Amino acid sequence: MTIHKEGYTSIALCILFIFVLNAVIQFYFPHADALKWVIYILSFLLFIIILQFFRSPSIRIATDETQVLCPADGKVVVIEETEETEFLKDRRIQLSVFMSPINVHVNRNPIAGVVKYFKYHPGKYLVAWHPKSSTENERTTIVIENHAGVPVLFRQIAGALARRIVWYVKQGDEVEQGQQFGFIKFGSRVDLFLPLGSKINVSIGEVVKGGRTVLAELPAVVEPVKATVVKEV
């Protein structure tokens, strides 16, 4: 078990906060043994919570061009046919995974291929399970097209607690399936938009694992998506 690089600053701030809090209690209440023990216990629990949030376990990833790997640990909260209006502009199967604060928050590429589209959207911080969070919250939109010309669109979506989305990809990158593409701090959601005809292997409420659970199997042939240049703001 290792700690993700995105956690270094948060863990350092947590340690500083715990040190200052305990120093203040020791200085102003030197004889309040019961209070000090309560603070010690709460400080320890806070440190463990922050530490486990930024854990980055080593996993073995089995790659397959025909399969869609889960991009994050969490629970399946949406499986439905919908219209994707930002880039693909066609009917898709939306599959959404909700990530609670106790989940591993590493985000992984669901398929291998070339990043055809990337855009960051500032926005609101509605709770991650809100129906409008997919279109109104702070988010990123990424489209990867595999070597067979099958595009998959997916989004990192900030929630009420998640106030920082981190990504490591840009348009034009060639990426590997299961490779880390980002990280979201303190609870969030990831949406995938799969081609119609994809075979869905999970159900609503199912607990899934990033880089390990096979969410779906892609149809054999889909019309390739052309790259679109997005001007950075």
Side-chain angles (χ1 to χ4, degrees):
M1 179 72 69
T2 58
I3 300 301
H4 198 276
K5 62 183 181 180
E6 300 298 339
Y8 296 161
T9 300
S10 296
I11 292 171
L13 291 174
C14 177
I15 293 172
L16 178 61
F17 172 77
I18 289 171
F19 176 79
V20 172
L21 176 63
N22 282 268
V24 168
I25 295 298
Q26 183 66 38
F27 183 81
Y28 288 102
F29 305 97
H31 304 298
D33 292 337
L35 175 61
K36 285 192 286 185
W37 273 107
V38 169
I39 297 299
Y40 293 158
I41 293 171
L42 291 177
S43 297
F44 176 75
L45 291 176
L46 174 62
F47 179 71
I48 293 299
I49 290 171
I50 296 296
L51 201 64
Q52 69 84 34
F53 178 84
F54 289 103
R55 68 194 187 279
S56 182
S58 298
I59 64 173
R60 184 171 296 176
I61 298 171
T63 61
D64 190 321
E65 275 266 309
T66 67
Q67 297 179 340
V68 178
L69 290 182
C70 186
D73 286 16
K75 183 170 69 173
V76 178
V77 294
V78 174
I79 301 176
E80 64 182 17
E81 186 176 325
T82 187
E83 187 80 16
E84 199 295 301
T85 58
E86 180 178 346
F87 179 73
L88 298 172
K89 302 186 186 304
D90 61 5
R91 300 294 293 178
R92 291 273 150 167
I93 300 173
Q94 179 181 340
L95 195 158
S96 301
V97 176
F98 172 71
M99 306 158 64
S100 78
I102 64 173
N103 288 130
V104 173
H105 276 60
V106 174
N107 299 150
R108 299 182 180 275
N109 296 315
I111 64 171
V114 177
V115 178
K116 292 291 184 177
Y117 177 83
F118 174 86
K119 188 171 183 179
Y120 167 76
H121 304 265
K124 300 178 182 178
Y125 296 98
L126 302 173
V127 290
W129 57 84
H130 194 287
K132 292 185 177 181
S133 65
S134 182
T135 55
E136 295 188 10
N137 276 21
E138 179 186 5
R139 63 199 181 278
T140 63
T141 301
I142 303 167
V143 178
I144 295 178
E145 183 180 286
N146 69 11
H147 299 109
V150 180
V152 170
L153 183 148
F154 51 101
R155 293 190 177 108
Q156 297 171 290
I157 302 171
L161 292 177
R163 298 302 176 104
R164 186 181 177 208
I165 296 176
V166 181
W167 59 89
Y168 311 131
V169 296
K170 63 183 183 300
Q171 189 168 306
D173 285 352
E174 184 157 359
V175 298
E176 298 177 6
Q177 188 176 36
Q179 179 184 28
Q180 292 187 24
F181 76 83
F183 194 96
I184 314 178
K185 294 187 177 183
F186 301 111
S188 49
R189 168 174 160 174
V190 178
D191 287 354
L192 295 97
F193 293 82
L194 308 174
L196 297 182
S198 299
K199 179 186 175 184
I200 306 301
N201 294 334
V202 293
S203 56
I204 296 289
E206 187 170 338
V207 174
V208 291
K209 296 293 184 180
R212 287 175 283 183
T213 302
V214 178
L215 297 179
E217 297 175 21
L218 294 170
V221 179
V222 174
E223 184 179 351
V225 173
K226 296 180 180 179
T228 297
V229 176
V230 178
K231 183 179 180 180
E232 296 291 339
V233 179

